[in-house]
Amino acid sequence: MDLELLKFRAETMQKIRAFFIERKYLELDTPALSSSLIPETCLEVFKTEYVEPWTGEKKDMYLVPSPEIYMKRIISQHKVSVFQLSKCYRNVESAGRIHSPEFTMLEYYTMNASYKESMAITEDLFNVLLPPLPTNGEPDPWQHLRPPFTHLSMNDAFKKYAGFYLSEAETPAELAEHARRLGIAELPDSPFSKWPWDDLYELILVQCVEPALVNEPKPVFLTDYPAKAACLAKDVPPAKKGGEPLWKERWELYACGTELANCYTEEDNPENVRAYFKTEGRLKNETALIPHATDDEYWTVFKDFPHCSGVAMGVDRLIMLLAGRKSIESVLPFPFRTQPGCY
């Protein structure tokens, strides 16, 4: 990484900090180690040990895949808008163009806001980070990253890029048939007939919908994720009173086809959080390559949790796009390597 890119990275981080500090967000600096984590079946973690110096007793510790577990405790106690730039760690992760087991994350939580308000805040952040519009009549080289962004619901995205509305595929069998129609190959030892709904949905999303987003001329807010894919986001109120929620108040931001950020209107019902931990924790223990402890009392944080929206953004990917590069390795001072010595 050359000196100019090092300066550009530093300036971008400084602009991010200034953006949130000027808007009265409190900057946090939470631990990178934790004795328990939020159960997430979509990722694996790094496990280490703390050795007590006098007794030699060993205690399992984990590198955080996100500062969320600590940030939400502070939000619950103080009810203020917060942000943090921090290193995060995810195991069993490839190292390459847009992935690294160690990466920099920006998380920001806005009080009295939903995922819709977070869209506007995120667009404002881009406006601050991008160079000013040309004033000499020249073409704008940053038009492809400049707000306003495209809004596309998950339901409409499936129709546009997979040929069917997700809301009309209510069973695993229906999704399996669409996967076959789309030419997605079945695994010999695991035919689609054995797959649950959320896994089939994820398969079609990753293989058919996400790759097509590179064709969108602007960054895309992909909104309203299916409620069947559990997460700690609030439900979109159902169209009919008393009906089952179909969607979650969640979006992900894709820029130049790259997944850049994830946002929820944060779940603030303690019973829903407790149920999520119980179900996701059980699945995690069944499937994880590296099982980890979960805090059985974490749900109590949400007994007095404020209405807010949280965004997690990959900073290395953001800097890559702002620098006009194709790989995060080009904007990392020391790209991840597994060989001996400094990486």
Side-chain angles (χ1 to χ4, degrees):
M1 188 180 189
D2 62 32
L3 181 58
E4 289 306 308
L5 270 175
L6 279 171
K7 290 179 179 178
F8 181 78
R9 184 182 181 93
E11 289 167 359
T12 301
M13 302 279 271
Q14 290 161 11
K15 288 179 181 179
I16 291 171
R17 281 196 165 92
F19 175 88
F20 287 104
I21 290 170
E22 287 172 4
R23 287 157 179 79
K24 309 302 182 184
Y25 286 70
L26 176 66
E27 183 174 6
L28 300 182
D29 184 18
T30 60
L33 284 171
S34 183
S35 59
S36 62
L37 298 171
I38 294 171
E40 296 177 273
T41 54
C42 61
L43 56 83
E44 296 286 346
V45 303
F46 283 92
K47 180 179 179 180
T48 186
E49 291 180 335
Y50 168 68
V51 181
E52 210 284 328
W54 307 116
T55 66
E57 180 183 357
K58 296 179 179 179
K59 180 178 178 60
D60 289 341
M61 300 291 289
Y62 309 93
L63 289 170
V64 296
S66 159
E68 173 185 2
I69 192 167
Y70 288 112
M71 294 181 79
K72 285 186 173 177
R73 292 181 184 277
I74 292 172
I75 291 168
S76 178
Q77 183 177 358
H78 298 290
K79 298 171 179 59
V80 293
S81 296
V82 297
F83 81 99
Q84 181 164 330
L85 285 160
S86 60
K87 291 294 184 183
C88 297
Y89 308 88
R90 298 185 182 181
N91 212 340
V92 196
E93 184 82 31
S94 61
R97 192 180 75 82
I98 58 171
H99 292 280
S100 177
E102 177 185 354
F103 60 98
T104 302
M105 178 89 86
L106 164 66
E107 288 207 18
Y108 47 102
Y109 292 81
T110 308
M111 298 302 102
N112 302 310
S114 73
Y115 70 145
K116 293 181 179 180
E117 283 79 18
S118 284
M119 292 181 192
I121 294 165
T122 302
E123 288 184 329
D124 287 345
L125 175 62
F126 267 74
N127 279 327
V128 167
L129 297 178
L130 288 168
L133 282 165
T135 58
N136 55 3
E138 293 294 319
D140 180 10
W142 301 106
Q143 181 63 26
H144 63 293
L145 291 177
R146 207 176 293 280
F149 298 161
T150 300
H151 293 220
L152 185 63
S153 73
M154 185 67 78
N155 204 30
D156 288 339
F158 265 70
K159 179 63 175 177
K160 184 174 183 178
Y161 292 119
F164 69 99
Y165 285 113
L166 196 56
S167 58
E168 296 175 353
E170 298 181 356
T171 67
E174 290 171 311
L175 274 185
E177 185 55 40
H178 283 297
R180 295 187 189 98
R181 174 183 59 79
L182 291 162
I184 299 173
E186 293 189 79
L187 299 175
D189 57 343
S190 181
F192 290 154
S193 59
K194 295 182 179 180
W195 286 38
W197 190 95
D198 53 339
D199 285 350
L200 286 163
Y201 145 76
E202 186 72 25
L203 177 73
I204 297 171
L205 173 65
V206 169
Q207 295 213 19
C208 297
V209 178
E210 286 185 334
L213 295 176
V214 72
N215 299 317
E216 295 284 346
K218 288 274 195 171
V220 178
F221 287 122
L222 190 58
T223 69
D224 300 335
Y225 278 54
K228 290 181 180 179
C231 66
L232 288 172
K234 278 192 169 185
D235 293 325
V236 174
K240 294 182 180 179
K241 188 175 181 179
E244 284 292 316
L246 297 178
W247 312 105
K248 290 284 187 180
E249 293 192 357
R250 173 185 180 185
W251 55 255
E252 290 196 2
L253 176 61
Y254 292 80
C256 303
T258 299
E259 180 190 342
L260 191 59
N262 185 27
C263 172
Y264 300 162
T265 302
E266 298 294 337
E267 178 62 77
D268 56 12
N269 183 311
E271 291 304 323
N272 290 346
V273 175
R274 178 156 61 172
Y276 175 88
F277 263 61
K278 183 177 180 180
T279 301
E280 193 76 357
R282 175 180 55 79
L283 292 172
K284 183 74 173 178
N285 287 332
E286 290 174 357
T287 61
L289 297 175
I290 306 154
H292 62 74
T294 58
D295 182 356
D296 292 336
E297 298 302 311
Y298 186 70
W299 66 274
T300 61
V301 169
F302 298 85
K303 286 185 174 181
D304 188 26
F305 200 77
H307 174 60
C308 66
S309 173
V311 178
M313 181 178 292
V315 173
D316 304 316
R317 294 181 182 183
L318 174 63
I319 293 172
M320 173 192 78
L321 293 171
L322 294 173
R325 300 302 180 100
K326 300 294 185 183
S327 169
I328 61 170
E329 290 187 315
S330 66
V331 298
L332 291 171
F334 298 96
F336 183 85
R337 296 288 184 270
T338 56
Q339 293 88 347
C342 293
Y343 66 81

